[in-house]
Amino acid sequence: MESLYHQTNKQIQEVQSLMGRLENTDRQSVHLLENDLQVRIDQIFSHLERLEILASKEPPNRRQNAKLRVDQLKYDVQHLQTALRNFQHRRYSRESQDREREELMSRTFTTNDADTSIPIDETLQLNSNLNNAHRGMDDLLGSGSSILTGLRDQRGTLKGTHKKMLDVANMLGLSNTVMRLIEKRATQDKFIMIGGMLLTCVVMFLVVKYLG
């Protein structure tokens, strides 16, 4: 076990040394160095699996210490693996940004570019349609307001007419049956007016909800 332990520890130190060269390696060679590091790290993990088996077979008085030494090596190599992946992620991000920047700089923009004129035309048409819809909504709301005002005026007129009819009936001494008929008709007219107001409100609500 001691021989394999020292061999693995030496490999970890070599990987640590190579990791320090990543930042200064040119773009053409960095892929090769990354691959070499990954191969070395995989080999270290393989050795650690063997070391864990050997540590479990150590005598009881040495087993705990052997496991601690293997765990330390495992921690070191896991740290190196994470560092390599972080470097690769940063490199991928930089290369992607460089490509996007080059594509943006190499693109030629013109004022008559069809790709830009079509969305502009569509936007103008959409704005025109929205303005027309808003004007239609304003007209509809104005009409609804006028209808409600008219219904309120009619209600006031009906109440006044009802009162006058009762006064006239009292003066003429009409029968109770005629009086009840007059009151029934007034009640019906009241319900019709309320129903018309509610229907108008529902229509206005639906228009605002689905066309607003």
Side-chain angles (χ1 to χ4, degrees):
M1 176 180 175
E2 289 299 321
S3 176
L4 183 58
Y5 172 84
H6 290 297
Q7 179 185 353
T8 305
N9 188 35
K10 181 180 179 181
Q11 288 177 326
I12 290 176
Q13 293 176 1
E14 291 174 351
V15 171
Q16 289 174 338
S17 177
L18 291 174
M19 288 286 294
R21 295 166 49 187
L22 278 174
E23 295 292 346
N24 299 324
T25 304
D26 58 87
R27 296 178 61 177
Q28 288 73 22
S29 303
V30 69
H31 302 282
L32 298 176
L33 181 55
E34 288 175 353
N35 292 337
D36 181 44
L37 285 169
Q38 189 60 59
V39 170
R40 291 171 181 264
I41 290 174
D42 292 340
Q43 187 177 19
I44 292 172
F45 276 118
S46 177
H47 289 172
L48 287 173
E49 292 178 359
R50 177 62 179 166
L51 283 172
E52 287 180 334
I53 296 175
L54 295 175
S56 64
K57 295 180 179 180
E58 287 287 307
N61 60 332
R62 297 170 51 186
R63 187 177 304 160
Q64 185 64 29
N65 184 53
K67 289 184 177 181
L68 289 175
R69 295 169 67 193
V70 174
D71 288 341
Q72 181 61 46
L73 293 180
K74 184 184 297 185
Y75 172 82
D76 292 340
V77 73
Q78 288 175 345
H79 177 74
L80 292 173
Q81 179 70 84
T82 301
L84 177 60
R85 289 175 178 171
N86 290 339
F87 174 82
Q88 290 175 325
H89 177 72
R90 292 195 304 270
R91 180 175 62 80
Y92 295 153
S93 298
R94 287 196 303 267
E95 291 178 354
S96 177
Q97 292 174 0
D98 291 342
R99 286 194 300 269
E100 292 176 357
R101 188 180 301 109
E102 291 175 358
E103 292 175 358
L104 183 62
M105 295 298 294
S106 62
R107 182 177 178 182
T108 302
F109 294 94
T110 61
T111 56
N112 295 325
D113 192 346
D115 293 337
T116 58
S117 62
I118 293 176
I120 291 175
D121 292 340
E122 292 177 351
T123 302
L124 292 175
Q125 182 64 35
L126 178 60
N127 288 335
S128 177
N129 293 338
L130 288 175
N131 290 332
N132 293 334
H134 288 164
R135 284 195 296 269
M137 284 294 301
D138 293 338
D139 295 340
L140 184 59
L141 291 175
S143 299
S145 178
S146 300
I147 293 173
L148 289 177
T149 301
L151 289 173
R152 284 196 297 268
D153 294 340
Q154 290 179 12
R155 181 172 180 270
T157 302
L158 288 173
K159 289 177 65 177
T161 303
H162 181 216
K163 183 177 180 181
K164 290 180 180 180
M165 290 177 65
L166 291 177
D167 293 339
V168 171
N170 289 329
M171 291 175 61
L172 296 177
L174 295 178
S175 65
N176 291 334
T177 302
V178 175
M179 294 289 293
R180 284 195 297 270
L181 289 174
I182 294 174
E183 291 178 355
K184 182 178 180 181
R185 178 58 185 272
T187 302
Q188 291 176 349
D189 291 340
K190 180 179 179 181
F191 288 147
I192 292 173
M193 181 195 66
I194 294 174
M197 293 176 66
L198 292 176
L199 179 61
T200 302
C201 292
V202 170
V203 171
M204 292 178 63
F205 172 78
L206 293 176
V207 170
V208 171
K209 181 177 181 181
Y210 293 103
L211 298 181

